[in-house]
Amino acid sequence: MKKIFVNGYGSIGSRITSFLKDDPEVSVIGVGKYSPDDDVNVAISRGLNVYVPERKLNDFKNFKISGTIESALNDCDLVIDASPGGHGYKNKKNLYDPKNLSVIYQGGETTMGDEAVSDLLFNSRANYDLAIGKKHVMQGSCNVTGMGRILEPLRNKFSNRLVRFDVTLVRRWADIEQTDKQVTDTIEMTEKPHHGDDVKMYFGKDAPLFVRAIKVPTRQMHLHIMDIRFSDKAPTPSELHEIFANEFGVAILWTAKGTKDIRDYAQNMGFNFTDTNMIHIHANMTVSIGDTVQMMYSDDQTGIVIPENHMLMQAMLFGKSYKDAFSHTESIFNMKERKQKLESHFARKN
């Protein structure tokens, strides 16, 4: 059994450990914590061993910690770095590289410039095979992951007919759990958003993709508005929806009035962390005119990257084929069942 250490226990770390505990092929030896807060006891109550930086041992003297992060890293096969953005690169230089560890980094890091954590940005739908045997790989952010689940099936179906993609990212302000983060009453524009460049890391650097981003005062998911231009007459909405009918992690919804409707349903159905772990195409909003299709889909912030981390872990740790990794991830996450429930609840009304 392979041993996993999850360095960080926030939005990503808490989610990924909740699924890894159900995976019979791996063992989570512990999680890293950097702040002596209530989440330490939450992690312990969930049966996790908590490790802290050696220099901060005294800060955690009132908690039942299991040791230092430095010592835990001596006994693991792969690290999932779930630390805040930018800290992954510091951890790489100070902790992982000296121990020659295999590591998965999250979307707050970069694959470009002097602080690149990897030369590969992973998206299971686009470049799974490239991650096999790699020691350092970055998992794309929720928005970047979501675009991959839409763009790659479109490319597979329409190939040279595609001329241009224009995407507006309407981003949530904070995650559900970030109750200490104020949701500011403003629409904030993002100058030079990284998402387009990140997507081009797996979709192709010359891809005709244009991305703009804004943040709005909500915690209830992201919404992407995508205009897809074709070299000839665009497909009809039903033809477009058909492409995603059997697509992993993409649900086609007709009657959801907003992102909170989906989140509330996920909560009522008892989905982990109220996550759906997928993209939701709002089918009633798809329009086709001339050479262009406009579609809207919501992106389950944070939750969408958790099954991606699981797929990436299998490529790096076991060298599994995409088919085998997909099958195993499905057995843990039950994505097909979730998709069926969502599509049934939000089905078109005749």
Side-chain angles (χ1 to χ4, degrees):
M1 184 179 291
K2 298 292 187 179
K3 299 177 181 179
I4 309 294
F5 183 73
V6 181
N7 198 4
Y9 197 70
S11 296
I12 297 289
S14 59
R15 283 170 163 82
I16 193 64
T17 52
S18 73
F19 285 99
L20 289 178
K21 67 179 177 58
D22 296 327
D23 188 336
E25 296 182 352
V26 299
S27 171
V28 178
I29 62 173
V31 298
K33 275 289 294 173
Y34 291 77
S35 301
D37 53 32
D38 290 342
D39 285 342
V40 176
N41 287 329
V42 170
I44 293 172
S45 71
R46 292 172 176 168
L48 296 167
N49 295 321
V50 175
Y51 296 84
V52 305
E54 187 172 4
R55 69 182 188 279
K56 289 190 172 184
L57 278 171
N58 287 337
D59 296 343
F60 290 83
K61 59 186 178 182
N62 294 325
F63 297 93
K64 294 181 179 179
I65 63 168
S66 298
T68 67
I69 291 173
E70 290 83 354
S71 64
L73 293 176
N74 292 328
D75 189 35
C76 73
D77 297 295
L78 179 139
V79 179
I80 298 178
D81 186 286
S83 59
H87 288 269
Y89 174 75
K90 296 175 185 177
N91 290 338
K92 181 179 190 293
K93 292 302 180 184
N94 298 328
L95 296 174
Y96 310 143
D97 280 352
K99 296 178 182 292
N100 195 31
L101 291 167
S102 296
V103 188
I104 294 173
Y105 303 89
Q106 304 306 313
E109 304 304 320
T110 183
T111 55
M112 295 169 278
D114 293 338
E115 296 190 352
V117 294
S118 173
D119 60 358
L120 178 65
L121 190 149
F122 180 77
N123 184 282
S124 68
R125 189 60 177 81
N127 62 5
Y128 176 88
D129 288 347
L130 294 181
I132 294 175
K134 292 279 284 187
K135 289 191 72 70
H136 296 271
V137 182
M138 176 180 156
Q139 166 61 51
S141 69
C142 41
N143 286 291
V144 172
T145 297
M147 279 191 275
R149 290 195 188 174
I150 297 296
L151 292 172
E152 192 63 19
L154 289 173
R155 176 160 63 180
N156 293 163
K157 176 67 175 180
F158 297 113
S159 187
N160 293 333
R161 290 179 60 196
L162 296 166
V163 173
R164 173 172 168 153
F165 302 91
D166 291 273
V167 188
T168 300
L169 307 181
V170 184
R171 301 171 57 213
R172 59 91 180 96
W173 197 275
D175 287 329
I176 297 292
E177 301 86 359
Q178 293 175 313
T179 54
D180 59 336
K181 188 172 182 179
Q182 184 179 0
V183 176
T184 307
D185 185 16
T186 185
I187 298 174
E188 183 177 283
M189 297 151 285
T190 305
E191 186 177 352
K192 298 178 181 178
H194 67 86
H195 309 86
D197 288 336
D198 282 356
V199 169
K200 289 180 182 182
M201 290 295 293
Y202 61 75
F203 200 58
K205 63 182 180 63
D206 296 324
L209 172 68
F210 299 84
V211 176
R212 62 180 71 88
I214 59 175
K215 287 201 314 187
V216 299
T218 182
R219 301 177 188 273
Q220 305 290 344
M221 302 190 190
H222 306 289
L223 179 73
H224 296 179
I225 305 170
M226 181 179 290
D227 296 320
I228 310 153
R229 185 171 296 174
F230 292 80
S231 60
D232 51 8
K233 185 175 176 59
T236 65
S238 60
E239 289 172 333
L240 195 76
H241 297 157
E242 182 62 29
I243 298 168
F244 300 96
N246 297 311
E247 191 68 33
F248 170 76
V250 181
I252 301 172
L253 314 183
W254 286 91
T255 57
K257 291 184 171 61
T259 52
K260 190 174 186 301
D261 285 357
I262 304 169
R263 183 74 71 193
D264 288 348
Y265 176 73
Q267 182 174 22
N268 291 337
M269 292 302 297
F271 292 177
N272 297 53
F273 297 89
T274 72
D275 293 339
T276 67
N277 302 110
M278 65 182 70
I279 285 293
H280 325 98
I281 294 176
H282 296 272
N284 56 308
M285 302 300 292
T286 306
V287 180
S288 178
I289 301 176
D291 63 356
T292 304
V293 172
Q294 183 180 85
M295 64 186 300
M296 298 186 188
Y297 57 91
S298 48
D299 181 311
D300 184 18
Q301 75 216 54
T302 310
I304 194 171
V305 305
I306 306 306
E308 288 287 299
N309 270 268
H310 192 258
M311 291 281 288
L312 177 53
M313 176 195 74
Q314 294 178 82
M316 294 174 65
L317 205 53
F318 299 105
K320 289 186 181 181
S321 68
Y322 177 87
K323 180 181 178 181
D324 289 345
F326 176 87
S327 177
H328 188 51
T329 294
E330 174 60 28
S331 73
I332 301 293
F333 286 81
N334 299 310
M335 296 283 281
K336 184 176 181 179
E337 180 183 354
R338 292 181 184 221
K339 174 173 176 167
Q340 290 173 341
K341 288 180 177 179
L342 282 162
E343 291 184 340
S344 176
H345 183 77
F346 294 104
R348 187 201 308 228
K349 291 181 170 59
N350 297 324

